[in-house]
Each structure stands twice: as structure tokens, then as C-alpha cells.
Amino acid sequence: MEHDASIGRRRFLVTGGVTAAALAAGGPALAEGPGDGTRVRFVKRPAASTGGGLYAPNRAPLSPTPFLRLPPGAVRARGWLGHQLRLQLGGLCGRYDEVSDFLAYDTCGWVHPDRGAWEELPYWLRGFGDLAYVTGDAAALAKTERWLTGIIATQQPDGWFGPARLRTSLEGGPDFWPGMPLLSAFRSWYEYAGDERVLPFMAGYFRLQAAQPAEVFNRSWGAFRWGDNIDSVYWLYNRTGEGWLLDLVRKMHSGSADYVNGLPTRHNVNIAQGFREPLQYGLLAGDPALAQATYRNYATVMGQFGQFPGGGFAGDENTRDGFDDPRQGFETCGIVEFMHSFEMLTRFTGDPVWADRCEELAINSMPAAFDPEQKSVHYITSANSVRLDRTAKLYGQFQNGFGMEAYLPGVHDYRCCPHNYGMGWPYYAEELWLATHDRGLAASMYADSTVTARVAGGQEVTIDQRTGYPFDETIRLTVATAEPVAFPLYLRIPGWCRNPALRVAGRAQPVATDGAGYVVVERTWRAGDRVELTLPMRTSVRTWTRNHGSVSVDHGPLTFSLAIGESWRRTGGTPDWPEFEVFPETAWNYALDRPQPGRLRLVRRRGPLPDNPFTPRTAPLELRARARRIGNWQADPQGVVRELQDSPARTDSPVEEVRLIPMGAARLRITSFPVAGNGPDAHEWTLPEFEASASHAEGSMLALYDGRWPSSSADHGIPRFTWWDHLGTEEWVQYAYREPRRIAGCAVYWFDDTGIGRCRVPASWELRWLDGDQWRPVTSPSGYGVAPDMVNRVTFDPVTTKGLRIVARLRNDFSAGLLEWEVPTATP
């Protein structure tokens, strides 16, 4: 099955095809059960035409939303999701205050304002608190309350709280960014515990924000993340009704980064948090163009950088033109923030595709962001990744100059991600169930769980959900209620599902769906009533036409990766907090042979669903596929999988049967596959003409030959190669050619950051060529220039060689580097 994946896996619904009137009416009734008053209908996208609901719905003039968030603790997860929460409680998030010096209560600036602090405690406490609420763990609850009480005690008369130095840390003004995740922590605490201190605490802080000049809202990280703050202001307004809060929202929107007219940032986490801001502001402004801007922002980033499976995009720090291969990665912070955005947008819009998106990230990408015991985390997760180590990648894969893939506690290595990842599973568990504007309940996402909530006129009901989803296709619901009560029950139909089946109180109900949407069951519910929903899962193949015609394989909501033998090597840490690198033990360079659903065989493991299905050993499902190896698809010198090339890829290798396992179970994985072929349309898979290496390297080897000539030697806008932090030494960098090459000259552009750092043009340098196994100086060089801010060219007597090397003598107490090194082939 081939299609254009320009906005990724699930089709987005904008406004076409369904009229506003039909949405408001909820769509046609499809069936009424004989004699029991059951009414079943299907809606593409439920709309709240008037405000309503039992859980602080939007006050006018805010637009009503179809779904409402239930209080933390209303949902209790079991099965694999409950196990993930328990792992988290006993793992890095639950005990991170034992590891991270940023979380030491006695020295943290969030409870001792004279001390320093920034985003780490807010990030951690946001996830840790909700972890406490969804698990009910007494120790975690007590720890959460201690922190929040300590923070409240720091509030000043003008509303400021936390570290005093953050008042003036941005151009003499306040840094409001780290307060944003803390506001979420306070909101959850209030909803869980009813602590009346929270409302005046937040009101005082917002009054301080409202008094700020406009320029404060467009500084640093906060400029791109005000959507978080807007959500907290709406939350308070819905509880107090104070109109000045909406004036603050208008001020934040007008003063911060502009997401209405496009993406004002390339930073992956900024995008994951900020792309939704126009739609959020639209709840107040009432302009449909604002909602369309959010949909357009998503389509823009995914259309260029999300052309591979897993639900994320290529944002290994920032999106970069030309870096959109599935070997690129998505920051762990980006994963959980994107999920949070999707959860919010599900509630705001009623569009089920946002829940599809959240589910896709959660079950396919997020599990590989940490080790199976959740004792360590890595910074970047990729769809194609064949080695996870601590080495900085110097051949252009990642932007940052540090290793980002090993599993570490990461306090100072990754810093943001291990503090922030904690909200991922707790928020997911909380958003399994939602309240509805018409005083019912919605099963927004599926996992073994129970929900206890108020419906109709305020009567409490409990619904028990039994399912192995996403590894099984049947969801069984049982209602518990003290007395009969009428309310609507919404059941999400994912976009990948065709022909769902429904039984209510033992009777089959016809369901005529039209893609993603919600089946709405309306009846008077009695204790013991049961609903059974079956979401038939089929195996499918996606073709990513914008990424070399590569393919990926799905079964229902699960994406599958090649099962690569994983060698886990302990490299440091402690028994409680180990550090791991992961290396491949088996071949990975496979192309799928004629990948069609009918040629893929599903194998289900016997026995009950494992507590943790996200490991190669415990994966409940496998697919068996026919594949051929591509000999020239090799890793680079640092073990990084090379980029995809056009499919079909020519190969004469024999057909083998390979195992595919759920993507979330594979830490090493090939998930975007080439397609094998040997016909006239097949493409030769080529190797690079040469490999670059150096005596020592910092930065990017790719910078040497990426064709991006700088504007000056101090150009920090393009990649660079340096020998930092070697000072005053003799160093080398070389090209090793696969075939002998005739060379008679080259051009270099030196890096020099005078006034900024300690790199200077070298004191001297020379060229050497590889003669057999000996490096010899070239003869008759025209001159070895060291001028900054210009191309330095040198010619010499022609040589035919498989290697050319620059040998540089660095200045005393300084390092050196190159922005470009061009070596043309000489004519005979």
C-alpha cells in the first residue's frame, strides 16, 4: 500500500467533509437496541456547541471544548501500563532526588530563594507529582506535598516565587519559563488534593506577569513556550472567573513568538510545545484561522522532518535542512512534550487524530528512550539506530558535540531529559479517560485500567477496562454504579481501524464508521453492564515517498522494527544507576523483499501478556518478513547507520526470513527499510568516495566536505571541525579514498574564533600523501596559507594516492579548526 506520508501516519481532519451543524448535532443515530433504550451513533469529531461538563469547563467567552480532563487519580492503570508506572516509581524518576544535585531540597533555589535553580526541579516535580497521583504511592505523595509547600512559602508580596536571581536573569528582567511546568504541578496537586492555597498563589504570580512590559514575553526559551502558561491561565480563569486573566492571555499571545504565521523556531522541544499555541489562543479569540495555524504547523514540521515511523521528527536539538533521514533523532523531551500537546489538543478539538498521534509516540518511540528498567535514559531516540554509545557523532548525524545515545542517569550529561521524561507515562495514564461536555465519559486511549468519575447530574460511576491493547484488539468494559444512570459513553475509533465491532449488554450493535472518530453509546447504565469493542488489527505497509521510497510495517497501532541482537555493555554508574552502551550482535543492513501485507506473517507468543512487553525477549508479537541484505549499506566509522538511498535498491543477496518486533521493544532498530530489487528500475547502493578521520576531533567531520563555505572564519552558523581542546600540539586530519585518486591541489578555510574562544589559525601546516603505507610530503607546494576569512589554496606536483592528510602545528595555548576542506580530482 503506497501513499504520501507528508503529514505522517494518521490522516488529519481539518474542517472539510463534515458540516459544523452535523458536528454540533453529533451525527446520525446508527442503531437502537431492541427494548433496552440503547442508542449508538458515530461522530467524526464531537463538538461542544455550548459550555458544559462537570469538571471545570471553559467559562465564556472561552470556546467550549468537547472533552475535559479528569482529576489526577481518577484513572488507575493496570497491566503493562501499570507496570511502566511502577518501574518509573522505583526507577530514575521516582528516585531521581537521590541522584540529581538539582533536586537536593536543602540547597534548591525553588525552596531557598537565595540559591540558584532553573528548569530541572520544575520539570521533575511536574512528572513526579502526577506519578504519585496515578499510583497512589504514599511516600511519593508526601514528597510532592513537601516540595509544593516549600515553594509556596517562597512567594513574595508581588507574586514572585522561587530563585531570586531569576527575577533579573534575562536582560535585567524575569525568566518566566521555568515557572511554567511548576504551574502544571500545582494544578495537578489542587485537582488531586483540593489545596486552597493554590488558587491565590497562582493569581498572585499571574498579576506579576500582567504587570510586565511586552518585551518580557519574547525572551529566551519562554518566548516559544507561552502556550503552557496560557493553559494555566485558562485553568485559573475557569475556577475564578476574573476577567483580567484573559487580558494577560492576550498580552502573552501578542508579545511572544509568532506561531500563527509559521514556525518561529527550529528547536525540537520548542516546536513540540509551541506549535499548538495558536489553537489555544483561538479558544479565546474565536478565529478559526488560529486552529488552522496549529494544524498547518504540525503538517509543516512532519512533512519535511517526520518522514519516517514512530510519530516523532528529526530534531536532534534543531531541525536542519538536509537532515531528515530516519537515522536522525527526536529528543526525549520532545517525545513527552509532543505527547502532552496531543493530549491537550484531543480535549480542545475532539479530533481523534491527536489521540492517534499520542498513542503512536507512546507505544512506538517512548519505551526506547530509557532502558527496560527505567534506571537510565538517553537524549535522542531514532527510528534507525544500530549502535547506542557515548561517542559524539562526528559525521553529521547529530548537531550537538556530545554523545547522546548511551543510557545514563544523565544528571549533567543530558540534564533536561531525565528530569522531564517523568510526565510521559503518568499523563498518558490520566488521559486514557476524559470527561465530556455532555456529562459523559470518553475512552480516549486504551489500556488495562479503571476510571472513577462523576457523570450526568453528578453521580459517581466506575468503569473497569480489561484489555491487552495495543497487543490485542479487544477492549472489554464493565460499568459499576450504585443506581441506574443515563450518560453517553464515547469510544475512540483509531484512524488505522476498519470495521470495528461493538457489543453492548450482550447484544451486537451495528457500527458504520467512516475512518477515525467516536462511537457514542447512550443508554441508562446499570451495575454490571458490559461493553465489548473490537478494533480489528491488520498488517499494513507504509511507503515514505518523500524519504527515498522507504517502507515501514505496522500491525494495528504498532510499528515493527528489525530484531537486531543487542549486546548491552555496562560502562559505569552504580548497581542502582547503571550506565549502558548497546551494540549490535547480528546483521542489520536488510531491505525488505516485495513487502506486501500478504507476505508478512504474524506470530503471537503463547501465554499471558508480559508485564513489560517492551523488550526483544518479551515482545508479545512478531512479524516474519522476507528480506535481502544490501552489502554497501554500512555503518560509518563511528558505527552510525548511513542514510537511506533510493528504493528499489539493487541487491543479488539471497532471500532470508527476518524477525520484526514492535518498535517500542527494540533499542537497536531498523524501522525504515529500503525495498530490495534487481530489475531495470533498481538503484545501485553506493558507498562514500572517502572517509575522513583525525588525530583528535570535536565538532563534525562532515563539516570538512559539506560544501557550505563560510562567510568568515568566525562563522558559527555552519558546522565546523576542530581539534579542541588540544592546545599547541601537532595534529592531523585526513581523507582516505576507496580508490586511488589523482590530486594536485586543495583549498582550506580555517576556523578562528578570536574574541569568543581559543581557536586560531594554525602556526603552520603541510600536506602529506599516502604512498603505499608511508605518508610523504607533497612536492613543490605553492604555499601553505593561514590567512583568516578567506580560502587558502595550495597546488603541488600531482600524486595518485588513496590518502591525503593535513598536518598542522597549533599555536601555543590555542587550538585550531577547519570550516571546509575541498580536494578536487586533478585532470590527467
Coordinates of all heavy atoms in Angstrom, one line a residue, residues 59-62 233-234 237 242-251 281 284:
R59 N -15.3 28.7 30.9 CA -16.3 29.8 31.0 C -16.3 30.7 29.8 O -15.3 30.8 29.1 CB -15.9 30.7 32.2 CG -16.0 30.1 33.6 CD -15.4 31.1 34.6 NE -15.4 30.6 36.0 CZ -16.3 31.0 36.9 NH1 -17.2 32.0 36.6 NH2 -16.3 30.6 38.1
A60 N -17.4 31.3 29.5 CA -17.5 32.3 28.5 C -16.6 33.5 28.9 O -16.4 33.7 30.1 CB -18.9 32.8 28.3
P61 N -15.9 34.1 27.9 CA -16.0 33.9 26.4 C -15.1 32.8 25.8 O -15.0 32.8 24.6 CB -15.6 35.3 25.9 CG -14.5 35.7 26.9 CD -15.0 35.2 28.2
L62 N -14.5 32.0 26.6 CA -13.7 30.9 26.1 C -14.6 29.9 25.4 O -15.7 29.6 25.8 CB -12.9 30.2 27.2 CG -11.9 30.9 27.9 CD1 -11.2 30.1 29.0 CD2 -10.8 31.5 27.0
V233 N -3.4 29.8 32.8 CA -4.2 31.0 33.0 C -5.7 30.6 32.7 O -6.6 31.0 33.5 CB -3.8 32.2 32.1 CG1 -4.8 33.3 32.2 CG2 -2.4 32.6 32.5
Y234 N -6.0 29.9 31.6 CA -7.3 29.4 31.4 C -7.8 28.6 32.6 O -9.0 28.7 33.0 CB -7.4 28.6 30.1 CG -7.3 29.3 28.8 CD1 -6.9 28.6 27.6 CD2 -7.5 30.7 28.7 CE1 -6.9 29.2 26.4 CE2 -7.4 31.3 27.5 CZ -7.1 30.6 26.3 OH -7.0 31.2 25.1
Y237 N -8.8 30.9 35.3 CA -10.0 31.7 35.0 C -11.2 30.8 35.1 O -12.3 31.3 35.6 CB -9.8 32.2 33.5 CG -11.1 32.8 33.0 CD1 -11.5 34.1 33.4 CD2 -11.9 32.1 32.1 CE1 -12.7 34.6 32.9 CE2 -13.0 32.7 31.6 CZ -13.4 33.9 32.0 OH -14.6 34.5 31.6
E242 N -12.1 35.7 36.9 CA -11.6 37.0 36.9 C -11.1 37.4 35.5 O -10.2 36.8 34.9 CB -10.4 37.1 37.9 CG -10.9 36.9 39.3 CD -9.7 36.9 40.3 OE1 -9.0 35.9 40.5 OE2 -9.4 38.0 40.8
G243 N -11.8 38.5 34.9 CA -11.6 38.9 33.5 C -10.2 39.3 33.2 O -9.7 39.2 32.1
W244 N -9.4 39.9 34.2 CA -8.1 40.4 33.9 C -7.2 39.2 33.5 O -6.2 39.5 32.8 CB -7.5 41.1 35.1 CG -7.3 40.2 36.3 CD1 -8.1 40.0 37.3 CD2 -6.1 39.4 36.6 NE1 -7.6 39.1 38.2 CE2 -6.3 38.8 37.8 CE3 -4.9 39.2 36.0 CZ2 -5.4 37.9 38.4 CZ3 -3.9 38.4 36.5 CH2 -4.2 37.8 37.7
L245 N -7.5 38.0 33.8 CA -6.7 36.9 33.4 C -6.7 36.7 31.9 O -5.7 36.4 31.3 CB -7.2 35.6 34.1 CG -6.9 35.5 35.6 CD1 -7.7 34.4 36.2 CD2 -5.4 35.2 35.8
L246 N -7.8 37.0 31.3 CA -7.9 36.9 29.8 C -7.1 38.0 29.1 O -6.6 37.8 28.0 CB -9.4 36.9 29.3 CG -10.2 35.7 29.9 CD1 -11.6 35.8 29.3 CD2 -9.6 34.4 29.7
D247 N -7.1 39.2 29.8 CA -6.2 40.2 29.3 C -4.7 39.8 29.3 O -4.0 40.1 28.4 CB -6.4 41.5 30.1 CG -7.7 42.1 29.9 OD1 -8.3 41.9 28.8 OD2 -8.2 42.8 30.8
L248 N -4.4 39.0 30.3 CA -3.0 38.5 30.3 C -2.7 37.5 29.2 O -1.7 37.5 28.6 CB -2.7 37.8 31.7 CG -1.4 37.1 31.8 CD1 -0.2 38.0 31.6 CD2 -1.3 36.4 33.2
V249 N -3.7 36.7 28.9 CA -3.6 35.8 27.7 C -3.3 36.6 26.4 O -2.5 36.2 25.6 CB -4.8 34.9 27.6 CG1 -4.8 34.1 26.3 CG2 -4.9 33.9 28.8
R250 N -4.1 37.6 26.2 CA -3.9 38.4 25.0 C -2.5 39.0 25.0 O -1.9 39.1 23.9 CB -5.0 39.5 25.0 CG -6.4 39.0 24.9 CD -7.4 40.1 24.8 NE -8.8 39.6 24.8 CZ -9.6 39.5 25.8 NH1 -9.2 40.0 27.0 NH2 -10.8 39.0 25.7
K251 N -2.0 39.5 26.1 CA -0.7 40.1 26.2 C 0.4 39.0 25.9 O 1.3 39.3 25.2 CB -0.5 40.6 27.6 CG 0.7 41.5 27.8 CD 0.7 42.2 29.1 CE 1.8 43.3 29.2 NZ 1.8 44.0 30.5
Y281 N -4.9 29.9 21.8 CA -5.3 31.3 21.9 C -6.7 31.4 21.2 O -7.5 32.2 21.6 CB -4.3 32.2 21.2 CG -4.7 33.7 21.3 CD1 -4.9 34.3 22.5 CD2 -5.0 34.4 20.1 CE1 -5.3 35.7 22.5 CE2 -5.4 35.7 20.1 CZ -5.5 36.3 21.3 OH -5.9 37.6 21.4
L284 N -9.9 31.7 23.0 CA -10.4 33.0 23.5 C -10.7 33.9 22.3 O -11.8 34.5 22.3 CB -9.2 33.6 24.3 CG -9.4 35.1 24.7 CD1 -10.7 35.3 25.5 CD2 -8.2 35.6 25.4

